[in-house]
Amino acid sequence: MRIRQVWRAAAVAAGITALAAGTALASASAATSSPGDAGHGHHGDRVRHVLLISVDGLHQQDLAWYIKNYPGSLLAALARHGLEYSNAGTPFPSDSFPGMVAQVTGGDPRVTGIYYDDTFNHDVFPAGTTNCTGPVPGAEVAYTEADDINLNALDAGQGLGGLPGSILQMTGNPLNVINPANLPVNPKTCKPIYPNQYLKVNTIFDVARQHGLRTAWSDKHPAYQALSGPSGNGVQDYFTPEINSQAIGYPAGEDWTSDNAATMQYDSYKVQAILNEIDGYDHSRTHHVGVPGIFGMNFQTVSTAQKLPTSDGLTGGYLAGGKVPGPLLVRALSYISTQIGAMVSEIDAQGLASSTAIIISAKHGQSPTNPNDLARVPDGPIIAAVNAAWTAAHPSAGNLIVFSTDDDGMLLWLSNRSQAAANFVKHYLLTHSAAGNNVSGSPITVSGSGLRKVYAGAASAAFIGVPVSDPRHPDVIGIVQHGVVYTGGKGKIAEHGGDDRQDRNVPILVVVPGLRYGHVFGAAVETTQIAPTILKLLGLNPRELQAVRIEHTQVLPGLRGQVR
């Protein structure tokens, strides 16, 4: 399939100008408003649509570097007319799932209940359980590609012919491609827990639907059905092609993240879905339904350019020192700028520039940026050694660590939730070294299992902010030494999921119609503040979000007085 590109430098420049001016196309927009605009004037004096874009892996330093070195780019133009929050942070853990949930709920994991895309819950039955009698054993909760009916199909098992050209015909309802037999089971109902049911609070999509606004979202797994919120009705039109499926046209065993060019190809499908939605259609361009009030997508291209040592003949990651993107990452950043430019151009072409706000951020960053800091450490031997030490001291106890999620952080769930057991794990981890390799593949040894801090038992619960009895939180949380990535082999050169500043310092750039001039805010803000800001822009009450009420999440500063 040939993805339609609408990048035209002059058109994009005009679109930016219109977004900044705010009033230039107001009369034209009113005269040619789409069905999605009709009747929505009471939601705000000007903004009727918010386009939310998440660029996985994008650091604030990446955005600043690219704007400085490519002043004629779309990203630079947006920054000149936008509000840039240069000290923004994601929640911990810095994983895609809690990162995206934060942006649409206004809450961090203690409130949302979402810690990672693959976790453990002491209060669920394993996937496939049909008889929920007896004690609840606890089980893995995987809201990943593992939920798909068919992992190896780009359409997640819908069975479309002619892939990848037909991918935009993929179902807009992820429930059609999620296998309930792969989901954890609720002990009270003995039924599978769908992703949206696991989320504890509502989302901006829920609120928008309650006010009659149309909603759409594009992401990397069908499991992002979670963004519909507990109601299950938040997002009307999803586009969720499976990123971990076999990349069509690439060697067997390679998914869309294995090659950066493949990732760009994959992301371009989602860009086309957004262009279709800007034009007032559903993602497949089959039905004319009106422009969504809230819509957007997730980009993966920057993330794979940071993780892959090389791809397409280009070096991945950053140059030595970690401040300057390498050639693969520069290409990825330029791709993002061009694709967002296509969206801006289409917004302008449809007369929506005076009624559309754009927010660019990231679910997470990536660490380390300096390749010389990298220490790849296999986590399997560490976990096996802890369990061996525990069973040696408690011969009939069985394994202590029953589940782990380790990227550049360590999250452990234990079979014995006593403080003594948690302390045992903490002591072992901090008193034993671990073997690994550096960026060149040479063997190295790290002290303390690669950790600089361990929170165990009650301290882990306190670190998150939940009661120690909470069944979802990790029983042990390990904060890595800078540069440590838990991975086997010599593949990836960066990762996320931890508490490193490079994991969590991401950009937030808000471009609103009528903004007189750009401004950089250096005060600390959080990506959770994106959710109430979106509702505020649309003239809706941010306090309709449950997480906002619980955490007192504030609208991002600086919008008042900057907009005519």
Side-chain angles (χ1 to χ4, degrees), residues 398-420:
N399 286 338
L400 179 55
I401 299 174
V402 292
F403 192 81
S404 69
T405 293
D406 310 320
D407 284 321
D408 73 345
M410 182 174 282
L411 307 180
L412 305 176
W413 286 263
L414 310 182
S415 59
N416 181 331
R417 304 196 79 193
S418 69
Q419 188 63 46

PDB file of all heavy atoms in Angstrom, residues 398-420:
ATOM      1  N   GLY A 398       9.597 -23.414  48.074  1.00  0.00           N
ATOM      2  CA  GLY A 398       9.460 -23.131  46.648  1.00  0.00           C
ATOM      3  C   GLY A 398      10.074 -21.780  46.306  1.00  0.00           C
ATOM      4  O   GLY A 398      10.640 -21.083  47.158  1.00  0.00           O
ATOM      5  N   ASN A 399       9.971 -21.397  45.049  1.00  0.00           N
ATOM      6  CA  ASN A 399      10.563 -20.139  44.598  1.00  0.00           C
ATOM      7  C   ASN A 399       9.936 -18.943  45.303  1.00  0.00           C
ATOM      8  O   ASN A 399       8.717 -18.885  45.499  1.00  0.00           O
ATOM      9  CB  ASN A 399      10.397 -19.976  43.094  1.00  0.00           C
ATOM     10  CG  ASN A 399      11.324 -20.875  42.315  1.00  0.00           C
ATOM     11  OD1 ASN A 399      12.353 -21.329  42.835  1.00  0.00           O
ATOM     12  ND2 ASN A 399      10.988 -21.147  41.068  1.00  0.00           N
ATOM     13  N   LEU A 400      10.769 -17.995  45.651  1.00  0.00           N
ATOM     14  CA  LEU A 400      10.292 -16.772  46.296  1.00  0.00           C
ATOM     15  C   LEU A 400       9.857 -15.746  45.258  1.00  0.00           C
ATOM     16  O   LEU A 400       8.781 -15.151  45.367  1.00  0.00           O
ATOM     17  CB  LEU A 400      11.387 -16.188  47.190  1.00  0.00           C
ATOM     18  CG  LEU A 400      11.060 -14.891  47.922  1.00  0.00           C
ATOM     19  CD1 LEU A 400       9.786 -15.040  48.765  1.00  0.00           C
ATOM     20  CD2 LEU A 400      12.238 -14.460  48.787  1.00  0.00           C
ATOM     21  N   ILE A 401      10.677 -15.521  44.233  1.00  0.00           N
ATOM     22  CA  ILE A 401      10.303 -14.591  43.163  1.00  0.00           C
ATOM     23  C   ILE A 401       9.449 -15.358  42.160  1.00  0.00           C
ATOM     24  O   ILE A 401       9.921 -16.288  41.492  1.00  0.00           O
ATOM     25  CB  ILE A 401      11.546 -14.006  42.464  1.00  0.00           C
ATOM     26  CG1 ILE A 401      12.403 -13.232  43.468  1.00  0.00           C
ATOM     27  CG2 ILE A 401      11.127 -13.093  41.309  1.00  0.00           C
ATOM     28  CD1 ILE A 401      13.721 -12.744  42.900  1.00  0.00           C
ATOM     29  N   VAL A 402       8.181 -14.981  42.068  1.00  0.00           N
ATOM     30  CA  VAL A 402       7.266 -15.696  41.168  1.00  0.00           C
ATOM     31  C   VAL A 402       7.042 -14.948  39.862  1.00  0.00           C
ATOM     32  O   VAL A 402       6.559 -15.532  38.891  1.00  0.00           O
ATOM     33  CB  VAL A 402       5.913 -15.966  41.850  1.00  0.00           C
ATOM     34  CG1 VAL A 402       6.084 -16.963  42.977  1.00  0.00           C
ATOM     35  CG2 VAL A 402       5.270 -14.672  42.351  1.00  0.00           C
ATOM     36  N   PHE A 403       7.402 -13.669  39.826  1.00  0.00           N
ATOM     37  CA  PHE A 403       7.258 -12.911  38.578  1.00  0.00           C
ATOM     38  C   PHE A 403       8.161 -11.691  38.648  1.00  0.00           C
ATOM     39  O   PHE A 403       8.349 -11.092  39.712  1.00  0.00           O
ATOM     40  CB  PHE A 403       5.815 -12.465  38.352  1.00  0.00           C
ATOM     41  CG  PHE A 403       5.563 -11.941  36.966  1.00  0.00           C
ATOM     42  CD1 PHE A 403       5.345 -12.810  35.914  1.00  0.00           C
ATOM     43  CD2 PHE A 403       5.580 -10.575  36.699  1.00  0.00           C
ATOM     44  CE1 PHE A 403       5.148 -12.346  34.624  1.00  0.00           C
ATOM     45  CE2 PHE A 403       5.382 -10.094  35.420  1.00  0.00           C
ATOM     46  CZ  PHE A 403       5.162 -10.982  34.376  1.00  0.00           C
ATOM     47  N   SER A 404       8.704 -11.338  37.493  1.00  0.00           N
ATOM     48  CA  SER A 404       9.542 -10.142  37.433  1.00  0.00           C
ATOM     49  C   SER A 404       9.339  -9.438  36.110  1.00  0.00           C
ATOM     50  O   SER A 404       9.057 -10.064  35.078  1.00  0.00           O
ATOM     51  CB  SER A 404      11.022 -10.495  37.601  1.00  0.00           C
ATOM     52  OG  SER A 404      11.492 -11.212  36.472  1.00  0.00           O
ATOM     53  N   THR A 405       9.475  -8.121  36.137  1.00  0.00           N
ATOM     54  CA  THR A 405       9.534  -7.294  34.937  1.00  0.00           C
ATOM     55  C   THR A 405      10.761  -6.419  35.090  1.00  0.00           C
ATOM     56  O   THR A 405      10.809  -5.551  35.959  1.00  0.00           O
ATOM     57  CB  THR A 405       8.268  -6.440  34.787  1.00  0.00           C
ATOM     58  OG1 THR A 405       7.156  -7.290  34.528  1.00  0.00           O
ATOM     59  CG2 THR A 405       8.413  -5.463  33.632  1.00  0.00           C
ATOM     60  N   ASP A 406      11.760  -6.671  34.265  1.00  0.00           N
ATOM     61  CA  ASP A 406      13.050  -6.011  34.417  1.00  0.00           C
ATOM     62  C   ASP A 406      13.508  -5.463  33.073  1.00  0.00           C
ATOM     63  O   ASP A 406      13.834  -6.238  32.169  1.00  0.00           O
ATOM     64  CB  ASP A 406      14.104  -6.995  34.941  1.00  0.00           C
ATOM     65  CG  ASP A 406      13.625  -7.763  36.171  1.00  0.00           C
ATOM     66  OD1 ASP A 406      12.970  -7.144  37.023  1.00  0.00           O
ATOM     67  OD2 ASP A 406      13.897  -8.972  36.258  1.00  0.00           O
ATOM     68  N   ASP A 407      13.529  -4.155  32.942  1.00  0.00           N
ATOM     69  CA  ASP A 407      14.070  -3.505  31.747  1.00  0.00           C
ATOM     70  C   ASP A 407      15.273  -2.668  32.174  1.00  0.00           C
ATOM     71  O   ASP A 407      16.375  -3.161  32.238  1.00  0.00           O
ATOM     72  CB  ASP A 407      12.996  -2.684  31.043  1.00  0.00           C
ATOM     73  CG  ASP A 407      12.023  -3.574  30.274  1.00  0.00           C
ATOM     74  OD1 ASP A 407      12.476  -4.559  29.672  1.00  0.00           O
ATOM     75  OD2 ASP A 407      10.810  -3.293  30.272  1.00  0.00           O
ATOM     76  N   ASP A 408      15.060  -1.384  32.504  1.00  0.00           N
ATOM     77  CA  ASP A 408      16.147  -0.688  33.190  1.00  0.00           C
ATOM     78  C   ASP A 408      15.675  -0.290  34.582  1.00  0.00           C
ATOM     79  O   ASP A 408      16.081   0.705  35.170  1.00  0.00           O
ATOM     80  CB  ASP A 408      16.708   0.495  32.386  1.00  0.00           C
ATOM     81  CG  ASP A 408      15.796   1.694  32.329  1.00  0.00           C
ATOM     82  OD1 ASP A 408      14.602   1.554  32.651  1.00  0.00           O
ATOM     83  OD2 ASP A 408      16.265   2.786  31.971  1.00  0.00           O
ATOM     84  N   GLY A 409      14.827  -1.139  35.105  1.00  0.00           N
ATOM     85  CA  GLY A 409      14.391  -1.131  36.489  1.00  0.00           C
ATOM     86  C   GLY A 409      14.095  -2.574  36.835  1.00  0.00           C
ATOM     87  O   GLY A 409      14.044  -3.431  35.950  1.00  0.00           O
ATOM     88  N   MET A 410      13.910  -2.874  38.108  1.00  0.00           N
ATOM     89  CA  MET A 410      13.612  -4.244  38.516  1.00  0.00           C
ATOM     90  C   MET A 410      12.350  -4.240  39.372  1.00  0.00           C
ATOM     91  O   MET A 410      12.300  -3.613  40.436  1.00  0.00           O
ATOM     92  CB  MET A 410      14.796  -4.838  39.295  1.00  0.00           C
ATOM     93  CG  MET A 410      14.579  -6.283  39.726  1.00  0.00           C
ATOM     94  SD  MET A 410      16.056  -7.018  40.489  1.00  0.00           S
ATOM     95  CE  MET A 410      17.055  -7.379  39.050  1.00  0.00           C
ATOM     96  N   LEU A 411      11.321  -4.919  38.885  1.00  0.00           N
ATOM     97  CA  LEU A 411      10.053  -5.049  39.604  1.00  0.00           C
ATOM     98  C   LEU A 411       9.837  -6.530  39.886  1.00  0.00           C
ATOM     99  O   LEU A 411       9.785  -7.348  38.961  1.00  0.00           O
ATOM    100  CB  LEU A 411       8.896  -4.499  38.774  1.00  0.00           C
ATOM    101  CG  LEU A 411       9.053  -3.070  38.228  1.00  0.00           C
ATOM    102  CD1 LEU A 411       7.817  -2.680  37.418  1.00  0.00           C
ATOM    103  CD2 LEU A 411       9.289  -2.077  39.352  1.00  0.00           C
ATOM    104  N   LEU A 412       9.704  -6.884  41.162  1.00  0.00           N
ATOM    105  CA  LEU A 412       9.604  -8.283  41.558  1.00  0.00           C
ATOM    106  C   LEU A 412       8.347  -8.515  42.395  1.00  0.00           C
ATOM    107  O   LEU A 412       7.999  -7.710  43.261  1.00  0.00           O
ATOM    108  CB  LEU A 412      10.827  -8.687  42.385  1.00  0.00           C
ATOM    109  CG  LEU A 412      12.207  -8.453  41.758  1.00  0.00           C
ATOM    110  CD1 LEU A 412      13.301  -8.814  42.747  1.00  0.00           C
ATOM    111  CD2 LEU A 412      12.358  -9.228  40.462  1.00  0.00           C
ATOM    112  N   TRP A 413       7.693  -9.633  42.134  1.00  0.00           N
ATOM    113  CA  TRP A 413       6.545 -10.071  42.921  1.00  0.00           C
ATOM    114  C   TRP A 413       6.908 -11.388  43.594  1.00  0.00           C
ATOM    115  O   TRP A 413       7.500 -12.279  42.960  1.00  0.00           O
ATOM    116  CB  TRP A 413       5.319 -10.239  42.033  1.00  0.00           C
ATOM    117  CG  TRP A 413       4.713  -8.933  41.601  1.00  0.00           C
ATOM    118  CD1 TRP A 413       3.660  -8.289  42.181  1.00  0.00           C
ATOM    119  CD2 TRP A 413       5.116  -8.102  40.503  1.00  0.00           C
ATOM    120  NE1 TRP A 413       3.379  -7.111  41.520  1.00  0.00           N
ATOM    121  CE2 TRP A 413       4.254  -6.968  40.486  1.00  0.00           C
ATOM    122  CE3 TRP A 413       6.127  -8.192  39.539  1.00  0.00           C
ATOM    123  CZ2 TRP A 413       4.373  -5.951  39.539  1.00  0.00           C
ATOM    124  CZ3 TRP A 413       6.250  -7.186  38.592  1.00  0.00           C
ATOM    125  CH2 TRP A 413       5.377  -6.087  38.597  1.00  0.00           C
ATOM    126  N   LEU A 414       6.557 -11.525  44.873  1.00  0.00           N
ATOM    127  CA  LEU A 414       7.010 -12.644  45.692  1.00  0.00           C
ATOM    128  C   LEU A 414       5.874 -13.571  46.089  1.00  0.00           C
ATOM    129  O   LEU A 414       4.728 -13.126  46.271  1.00  0.00           O
ATOM    130  CB  LEU A 414       7.696 -12.121  46.959  1.00  0.00           C
ATOM    131  CG  LEU A 414       8.778 -11.040  46.772  1.00  0.00           C
ATOM    132  CD1 LEU A 414       9.371 -10.670  48.120  1.00  0.00           C
ATOM    133  CD2 LEU A 414       9.858 -11.511  45.806  1.00  0.00           C
ATOM    134  N   SER A 415       6.200 -14.847  46.259  1.00  0.00           N
ATOM    135  CA  SER A 415       5.201 -15.818  46.741  1.00  0.00           C
ATOM    136  C   SER A 415       4.928 -15.619  48.223  1.00  0.00           C
ATOM    137  O   SER A 415       3.835 -15.908  48.714  1.00  0.00           O
ATOM    138  CB  SER A 415       5.704 -17.239  46.490  1.00  0.00           C
ATOM    139  OG  SER A 415       6.946 -17.461  47.155  1.00  0.00           O
ATOM    140  N   ASN A 416       5.909 -15.129  48.946  1.00  0.00           N
ATOM    141  CA  ASN A 416       5.782 -14.836  50.373  1.00  0.00           C
ATOM    142  C   ASN A 416       5.867 -13.323  50.526  1.00  0.00           C
ATOM    143  O   ASN A 416       6.924 -12.730  50.285  1.00  0.00           O
ATOM    144  CB  ASN A 416       6.909 -15.533  51.138  1.00  0.00           C
ATOM    145  CG  ASN A 416       6.836 -15.312  52.630  1.00  0.00           C
ATOM    146  OD1 ASN A 416       6.336 -14.300  53.113  1.00  0.00           O
ATOM    147  ND2 ASN A 416       7.359 -16.278  53.387  1.00  0.00           N
ATOM    148  N   ARG A 417       4.766 -12.688  50.942  1.00  0.00           N
ATOM    149  CA  ARG A 417       4.719 -11.233  50.988  1.00  0.00           C
ATOM    150  C   ARG A 417       5.120 -10.655  52.350  1.00  0.00           C
ATOM    151  O   ARG A 417       4.881  -9.465  52.613  1.00  0.00           O
ATOM    152  CB  ARG A 417       3.329 -10.720  50.593  1.00  0.00           C
ATOM    153  CG  ARG A 417       2.841 -11.187  49.231  1.00  0.00           C
ATOM    154  CD  ARG A 417       1.684 -10.351  48.740  1.00  0.00           C
ATOM    155  NE  ARG A 417       2.128  -9.082  48.182  1.00  0.00           N
ATOM    156  CZ  ARG A 417       1.306  -8.062  47.904  1.00  0.00           C
ATOM    157  NH1 ARG A 417       0.012  -8.150  48.191  1.00  0.00           N
ATOM    158  NH2 ARG A 417       1.787  -6.951  47.381  1.00  0.00           N
ATOM    159  N   SER A 418       5.720 -11.471  53.186  1.00  0.00           N
ATOM    160  CA  SER A 418       6.157 -10.969  54.487  1.00  0.00           C
ATOM    161  C   SER A 418       7.306  -9.987  54.322  1.00  0.00           C
ATOM    162  O   SER A 418       8.038 -10.014  53.324  1.00  0.00           O
ATOM    163  CB  SER A 418       6.605 -12.132  55.381  1.00  0.00           C
ATOM    164  OG  SER A 418       7.816 -12.696  54.889  1.00  0.00           O
ATOM    165  N   GLN A 419       7.474  -9.117  55.311  1.00  0.00           N
ATOM    166  CA  GLN A 419       8.584  -8.169  55.269  1.00  0.00           C
ATOM    167  C   GLN A 419       9.918  -8.905  55.326  1.00  0.00           C
ATOM    168  O   GLN A 419      10.894  -8.490  54.692  1.00  0.00           O
ATOM    169  CB  GLN A 419       8.480  -7.174  56.425  1.00  0.00           C
ATOM    170  CG  GLN A 419       9.487  -6.039  56.353  1.00  0.00           C
ATOM    171  CD  GLN A 419       9.299  -5.149  55.125  1.00  0.00           C
ATOM    172  OE1 GLN A 419       8.180  -4.765  54.804  1.00  0.00           O
ATOM    173  NE2 GLN A 419      10.384  -4.834  54.429  1.00  0.00           N
ATOM    174  N   ALA A 420       9.948 -10.014  56.051  1.00  0.00           N
ATOM    175  CA  ALA A 420      11.180 -10.781  56.162  1.00  0.00           C
ATOM    176  C   ALA A 420      11.607 -11.319  54.801  1.00  0.00           C
ATOM    177  O   ALA A 420      12.803 -11.292  54.446  1.00  0.00           O
ATOM    178  CB  ALA A 420      10.998 -11.931  57.151  1.00  0.00           C
TER     179      ALA A 420
END
